[in-house]
């Protein structure tokens, strides 16, 4: 039985072309890029090429910085803790704004900063699951809000926030704007000049690059206290020996992902819609968020009367990987945070199952997934004590 | 914490084959109708139970023979994860053939043990133990319905660790008896906190009414307070004035009535502070005065009582 991977918002497979591009830098061209000798300097052209791809991938100006970090979480921590040190610790501003639907990399970091003196507002979403500029403006405080951090696309629902307008609102009130674009980059167009963000986080393994590498865009002219202090790597803005193969891999992966954006928005969207239509044809199912407001690869669905983990169990026995943010499969029994923020009915909040596709997803896989999903719904509803 | 906690769980790898099997093919799934129960000469009990924390719900059906009170048929339906389904299925099986009273004694620990592939290996990973608790609660609910009472009436004790079925009073008692000072020690003695760990401190799987850290802190504080009180009550720790009053009160309550019953009596003439020691000067009255044994036997008896009840640093002398 061939396994089917529909959990691409968790991670993606490394594109074999990316793998080939990285390979020489593990064994042959292994020099430390900071060394003066040939072993070190021979890595530079590939690093420059990777940087070019990263800058081009988000349309960053040459005068801005893109730090290569170890992951999206490090990038997010760098921004939030950097702002804390640069503003809140100095007593200049004390207020941060984020949303109730952020990834734990933002949410938990904000909670930590709250525990050491920051004041944090967690914005609600509207009925569509979106953070609107109107909601943001109500909570911005001129002279007090140091930073607004709102994700570009939500990892569970795929819902896309109006980042351009949110950044504009933040700037109107003199606050800086950061977006965690981990779930957006490679799926939709991300342009940091058109959308005037100050900081932007991304992660290589979400667009068919390797794990363990991420990026942080810092708009030209902005200063941010480094997260890692140490040697003189990354223009002294992020110490730690640069992981050349992963950087090369992430650069090339982004290059390929940007080139595949058309495919993503046509073919992957078509397959996603096909799966979604089939799911919606099963009675008592709800897909969260309007289709046109979501990234083209994501469906978060609630099958009434079926607990999310039980659903994943059956899928897994049939070789299909999906995901649930709800209760039992995670360390936390609380209902899904996104569901809660969206005020989804409590009865449904433990029923969420997320399917996320990638450019490696095939039509045959979707056909088989549909078949298995239908059988699973039938079986688990026959067990269910709440489904009538 | 340590090496074993550093790589997140592949949760399902820790399920026993029995759990997987019962999740995939539950044996006791379904409903029992009124007519079906009646045909068996049995009374139908339908009990619902839900866990607020994780949203799981289970419905238990029992056909109970009215004469023998035995559960002659059982089945369930469940909205829950794999563990909830498998443990509900096993729970029903354990109830079959038992009387309602016997069934009430089945705990989630019995269910978990019955789901093990081998006796030494848990059937589910620690964080899934709470999913089996619901199966246990629904039995109590069924018993309550059968007996026409409230489930709360059957829950006679405050449960702190539902996974291991350890009550508040047990935990307090164990801390006191064994003078426990750490949560780890409580877990070692009672198994409370050994499974899903929610009851150890806030921030776990589910919110609890009681946490081991708080129970330990409070019980330790109680023990300390009692010790301090005990210490303060000691004769040695009193002021000279209080000591004098205690001696007088002790004589009035214990010594004088005894002597008076034989027609005698005794007065305290003086109490002399001699640093660590006290000299208690007394004078016999009535029949004791001039009694042959008053300077030997009676005196030793009085001094013995004083040493026993107050302090052995009090010397009694007759003036």
């Amino acid at each position: 039985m061939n396994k089917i991977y529909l959990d691409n918002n968790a991670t993606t497979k490394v594109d074999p072309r990316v793998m080939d591009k990285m390979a020489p830098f593990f064994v042959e061209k292994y020099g430390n890029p900071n060394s003066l000798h040939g072993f070190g300097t021979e890595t530079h052209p590939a690093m420059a090429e990777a940087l070019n791809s990263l800058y081009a991938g988000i349309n960053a100006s040459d005068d801005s910085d893109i730090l290569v970090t170890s992951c999206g979480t490090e990038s997010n921590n760098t921004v939030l803790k950097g702002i804390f040190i640069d503003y809140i610790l100095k007593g200049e501003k004390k207020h941060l704004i984020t949303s109730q639907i952020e990834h734990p990399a933002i949410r938990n970091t904000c909670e930590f900063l709250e525990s050491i003196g920051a004041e944090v507002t967690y914005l609600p979403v509207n009925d569509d699951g979106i953070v609107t500029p109107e909601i943001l403006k109500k909570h911005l405080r001129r002279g007090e809000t140091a930073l607004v951090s709102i994700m570009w696309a939500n990892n569970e629902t795929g819902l896309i926030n109006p980042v351009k307008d949110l950044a504009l609102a933040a700037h109107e009130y003199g606050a800086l704007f950061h977006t965690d674009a981990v779930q957006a980059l490679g799926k939709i167009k991300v342009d940091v000049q058109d959308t005037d963000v100050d900081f932007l986080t991304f992660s290589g393994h979400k667009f068919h690059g390797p794990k363990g590498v991420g990026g942080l865009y810092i708009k030209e002219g902005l200063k941010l206290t480094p997260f890692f202090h140490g040697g003189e790597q990354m223009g002294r803005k992020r110490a730690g020996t640069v992981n050349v193969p992963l950087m090369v891999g992430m650069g090339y992966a982004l290059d390929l992902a940007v080139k595949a954006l058309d495919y993503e928005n046509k073919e992957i969207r078509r397959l996603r819609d096909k799966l979604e239509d089939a799911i919606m044809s099963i009675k008592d199912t709800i897909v969260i968020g309007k289709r046109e407001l979501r990234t083209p690869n994501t469906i978060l669905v609630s099958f009434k009367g079926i607990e999310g983990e039980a659903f994943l169990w059956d899928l897994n026995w049939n070789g299909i990987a999906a995901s649930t943010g709800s209760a039992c499969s995670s360390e936390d029994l609380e209902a899904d945070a996104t569901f809660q923020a969206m005020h989804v009915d409590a009865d449904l909040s433990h029923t969420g199952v997320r399917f996320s596709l990638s450019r490696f997803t095939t039509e045959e896989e979707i056909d088989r997934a549909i078949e298995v999903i239908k059988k699973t719904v039938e079986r688990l509803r026959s067990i269910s004590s709440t489904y009538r | 914490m340590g090496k074993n906690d550093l790589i997140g769980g592949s949760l399902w790898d820790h399920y026993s084959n029995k759990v997987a099997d019962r999740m995939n093919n539950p044996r006791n799934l379904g409903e029992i109708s009124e007519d079906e129960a009646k045909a068996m000469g049995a009374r139908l009990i339908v009990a619902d139970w839900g866990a607020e924390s994780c949203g799981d719900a289970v419905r238990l059906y029992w056909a109970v023979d009215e004469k023998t009170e035995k559960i002659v048929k059982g089945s369930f339906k469940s909205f829950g994860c794999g563990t909830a389904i498998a443990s509900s299925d096993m729970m029903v099986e354990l109830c079959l053939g038992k009387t309602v009273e016997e069934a009430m004694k089945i705990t989630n620990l019995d269910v978990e043990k019955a789901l093990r592939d081998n006796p030494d290996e848990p059937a589910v990973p620690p964080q899934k133990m709470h999913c089996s608790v619901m199966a246990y609660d629904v039995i109590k609910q069924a018993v309550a319905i059968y007996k026409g009472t409230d489930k709360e009436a059957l829950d006679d004790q405050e449960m702190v660790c539902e996974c291991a079925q350890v009550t508040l009073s047990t935990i307090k008692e164990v801390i006191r008896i064994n003078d426990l000072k750490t949560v780890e020690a409580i877990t070692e003695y009672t198994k409370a906190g050994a499974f899903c760990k929610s009851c150890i401190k806030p921030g776990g799987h589910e919110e609890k009414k009681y946490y081991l850290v708080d129970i330990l802190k409070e019980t330790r504080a109680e023990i300390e307070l009692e010790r301090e009180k005990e210490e303060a009550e000691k004769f040695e720790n009193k002021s000279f004035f209080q000591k004098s009053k205690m001696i007088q009160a002790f004589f009035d309550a214990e010594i004088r009535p005894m002597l008076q019953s034989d027609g005698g009596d005794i007065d305290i003439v003086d109490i002399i502070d001699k640093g660590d020691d006290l000299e208690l000067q007394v004078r016999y009255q009535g029949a004791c005065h001039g009694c042959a044994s008053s300077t030997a036997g009676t005196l030793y008896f009085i001094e013995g009582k004083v040493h026993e009840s107050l302090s052995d640093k009090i010397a009694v002398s007759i003036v």
Side-chain angles (χ1 to χ4, degrees):
Chain A
M1 180 173 63
N2 284 332
K3 291 194 290 180
I4 298 172
Y5 188 76
L6 295 176
D7 196 16
N8 287 282
N9 283 10
T11 194
T12 54
K13 95 174 197 179
V14 174
D15 188 315
R17 291 172 291 176
V18 171
M19 191 67 199
D20 290 344
K21 189 93 171 178
M22 288 193 292
F25 298 94
F26 285 107
V27 181
E28 295 152 29
K29 299 182 180 182
Y30 54 84
N32 184 328
N34 266 24
S35 301
L36 293 177
H37 50 64
F39 285 86
T41 51
E42 73 176 346
T43 63
H44 290 184
M47 290 170 72
E49 189 187 335
L51 274 185
N52 284 340
S53 297
L54 298 180
Y55 275 73
I58 59 171
N59 192 29
S61 79
D62 286 354
D63 292 326
S64 57
D65 293 321
I66 294 183
L67 307 184
V68 174
T69 64
S70 64
C71 57
T73 297
E74 186 199 316
S75 300
N76 286 338
N77 270 266
T78 304
V79 174
L80 292 171
K81 290 175 183 169
I83 292 292
F84 182 85
I85 292 164
D86 294 341
Y87 290 89
I88 298 173
L89 209 55
K90 288 179 185 165
E92 290 175 15
K93 292 179 177 182
K94 60 181 178 185
H95 184 220
L96 302 173
I97 295 179
T98 186
S99 81
Q100 292 172 1
I101 56 166
E102 295 298 312
H103 187 276
I106 292 287
R107 199 171 60 238
N108 291 347
T109 308
C110 281
E111 283 173 11
F112 167 70
L113 293 178
E114 258 184 316
S115 76
I116 56 170
E119 202 179 300
V120 185
T121 300
Y122 300 86
L123 296 181
V125 291
N126 69 3
D127 292 345
D128 286 330
I130 302 283
V131 182
T132 65
E134 292 71 39
I135 298 172
L136 173 59
K137 280 179 188 170
K138 276 185 195 162
H139 293 89
L140 276 160
R141 299 184 214 153
R142 201 177 298 281
E144 284 185 34
T145 308
L147 178 82
V148 176
S149 177
I150 310 282
M151 68 195 338
W152 198 307
N154 182 267
N155 44 313
E156 295 192 47
T157 59
L159 285 164
I160 301 163
N161 285 314
V163 176
K164 187 172 181 171
D165 295 336
L166 292 169
L168 206 65
H171 291 156
E172 264 177 44
Y173 284 78
L176 292 164
F177 188 85
H178 166 246
T179 185
D180 177 351
V182 162
Q183 294 292 345
L185 200 56
K187 293 175 189 142
I188 55 173
K189 193 181 165 204
V190 170
D191 182 332
V192 294
Q193 295 195 55
D194 176 47
T195 301
D196 188 21
V197 301
D198 299 300
F199 309 103
L200 178 138
T201 289
F202 57 93
S203 174
H205 74 111
K206 303 290 186 181
F207 46 80
H208 303 291
K211 292 174 186 60
V213 64
L216 175 61
Y217 160 82
I218 303 171
K219 190 160 83 179
E220 57 179 287
L222 289 178
K223 299 267 181 290
L224 196 65
T225 295
F227 196 56
F228 289 175
H229 293 87
E232 299 183 357
Q233 297 85 352
M234 283 271 133
R236 299 189 181 204
K237 286 161 187 145
R238 195 256 184 197
T241 304
V242 178
N243 193 327
V244 180
L246 299 193
M247 175 176 174
V248 168
M250 178 167 70
Y252 191 45
L254 183 57
D255 196 22
L256 294 172
V258 169
K259 284 179 183 146
L261 269 184
D262 264 356
Y263 181 84
E264 180 95 27
N265 279 287
K266 287 189 187 125
E267 187 58 11
I268 299 174
R269 187 182 289 277
R270 183 184 72 78
L271 290 176
R272 190 275 308 266
D273 291 353
K274 180 179 179 178
L275 177 61
E276 192 172 325
D277 290 342
I279 287 171
M280 290 301 287
S281 75
I282 302 169
K283 66 173 179 174
D284 295 327
T285 55
I286 298 166
V287 170
I288 309 297
K290 290 178 185 150
R291 200 179 270 189
E292 64 274 17
L293 298 178
R294 279 184 268 136
T295 47
N297 76 321
T298 308
I299 309 169
L300 178 61
V301 58
S302 155
F303 298 98
K304 196 178 170 199
I306 302 173
E307 199 270 338
E309 191 202 320
F311 202 96
L312 290 193
W313 171 278
D314 271 33
L315 288 187
N316 193 45
W317 273 83
N318 286 285
I320 297 175
S323 172
T324 172
S326 75
C328 283
S329 63
S330 65
E331 287 294 309
D332 188 351
L333 283 183
E334 285 297 311
D336 186 295
T338 311
F339 274 32
Q340 283 186 330
M342 289 177 71
H343 304 295
V344 170
D345 193 324
D347 285 349
L348 299 181
S349 61
H350 295 282
T351 59
V353 179
R354 181 185 72 191
F355 300 96
S356 45
L357 289 65
S358 83
R359 64 173 186 261
F360 291 96
T361 308
T362 65
E363 184 112 33
E364 292 72 34
E365 289 177 334
I366 292 300
D367 288 340
R368 212 179 120 245
I370 291 169
E371 202 180 304
V372 170
I373 289 167
K374 285 184 172 167
K375 279 185 192 159
T376 298
V377 171
E378 205 175 311
R379 181 180 105 85
L380 292 174
R381 280 190 177 158
S382 78
I383 294 176
S384 176
S385 61
T386 59
Y387 185 72
R388 285 172 192 96
Chain B
M1 290 296 281
K3 194 167 132 197
N4 292 335
D5 295 308
L6 296 179
I7 296 177
S10 64
L11 211 60
W12 295 335
D13 288 349
H14 299 289
Y15 285 7
S16 70
N17 293 330
K18 281 185 188 165
V19 170
D21 181 38
R22 281 180 183 267
M23 169 58 185
N24 292 336
N25 304 295
R27 322 272 200 276
N28 304 297
L29 178 67
E31 302 172 12
I32 302 174
S33 68
E34 283 284 358
D35 291 345
E36 200 182 337
K38 207 176 274 177
M40 298 162 87
R43 184 179 154 202
L44 178 67
I45 301 291
V46 183
D48 279 302
W49 194 253
E52 269 177 42
S53 55
C54 62
D56 287 2
V58 64
R59 177 172 300 151
L60 172 64
Y61 296 84
W62 274 351
V64 184
D65 186 300
E66 304 225 46
K67 284 179 200 143
T68 61
E69 294 207 325
K70 277 191 177 166
I71 299 153
V72 287
K73 191 174 179 192
S75 63
F76 80 101
K77 292 206 121 188
S78 165
F79 170 86
C81 62
T83 304
I85 293 173
S87 57
S88 298
D89 194 46
M90 180 54 87
M91 172 270 293
V92 171
E93 201 154 302
L94 294 181
C95 293
L96 294 178
K98 289 196 171 65
T99 63
V100 171
E101 283 298 324
E102 287 166 347
M104 200 174 76
K105 295 192 183 105
I106 299 168
T107 71
N108 59 310
L109 298 178
D110 299 324
V111 173
E112 188 270 323
K113 284 210 173 95
L115 285 167
R116 291 183 180 193
D117 289 336
N118 70 62
D120 302 325
E121 225 171 280
V124 294
Q127 65 266 44
K128 301 299 290 185
M129 266 306 275
H130 73 270
C131 304
S132 69
V133 176
M134 204 172 50
Y136 164 72
D137 278 318
V138 80
I139 292 181
K140 277 198 171 177
Q141 177 70 356
V143 174
I145 292 170
Y146 183 82
K147 292 186 169 183
T149 174
D150 282 342
K151 181 174 173 289
E152 286 71 34
L154 301 171
D155 293 331
D156 54 346
Q157 295 233 52
E158 200 70 63
M159 199 60 78
V160 175
C161 176
E162 283 168 334
C163 297
Q165 294 294 307
V166 187
T167 61
L168 182 62
S169 60
T170 303
I171 291 170
K172 285 188 166 184
E173 198 180 321
V174 165
I175 294 171
R176 282 174 175 280
I177 293 172
N178 303 290
D179 196 22
L180 302 184
K181 294 186 174 73
T182 63
V183 168
E184 289 75 18
I186 300 174
T187 303
E188 204 176 300
Y189 275 77
T190 64
K191 290 271 182 274
F195 299 101
C196 87
K197 302 186 190 330
S198 290
C199 62
I200 292 180
K201 60 182 179 194
H205 293 282
E206 51 188 305
E207 209 175 307
K208 309 286 285 187
K209 190 172 169 191
Y210 296 99
Y211 293 100
L212 296 182
V213 285
D214 299 328
I215 300 168
L216 179 68
K217 202 172 153 194
E218 280 160 26
T219 313
R220 292 299 317 171
E222 278 169 28
I223 295 172
E224 285 312 311
L225 200 70
E226 282 161 20
R227 278 187 188 160
E228 276 169 27
K229 209 173 155 195
E230 224 170 76
E231 201 61 30
E233 289 301 317
K234 279 188 183 165
F235 184 83
E236 278 82 10
N237 297 327
K238 301 278 180 188
S239 67
F240 178 74
F241 176 72
Q242 285 171 327
K243 283 177 183 169
S244 305
K245 280 179 77 174
M246 281 173 81
I247 293 169
Q248 185 65 60
F250 177 71
F251 265 68
D252 288 346
E254 304 282 334
I255 306 294
R256 293 183 63 214
M258 267 193 299
L259 301 183
Q260 282 164 354
S261 66
D262 289 332
D265 204 350
I266 194 166
D267 280 341
I268 295 172
V269 178
D270 202 1
I271 301 170
I272 300 159
D273 190 354
K274 293 191 162 180
D276 281 349
D277 299 327
L278 288 179
E279 189 190 336
L280 176 62
Q281 295 181 343
V282 297
R283 181 178 292 137
Y284 286 119
Q285 305 288 348
C288 293
H289 193 69
C291 170
S293 67
S294 65
T295 53
T298 310
L299 180 64
Y300 293 141
F301 170 76
I302 293 169
E303 199 167 52
K305 280 278 179 193
V306 167
H307 288 175
E308 188 187 309
S309 303
L310 297 173
S311 166
D312 57 5
K313 291 183 175 172
I314 302 172
V316 185
S317 60
I318 302 163
V319 292

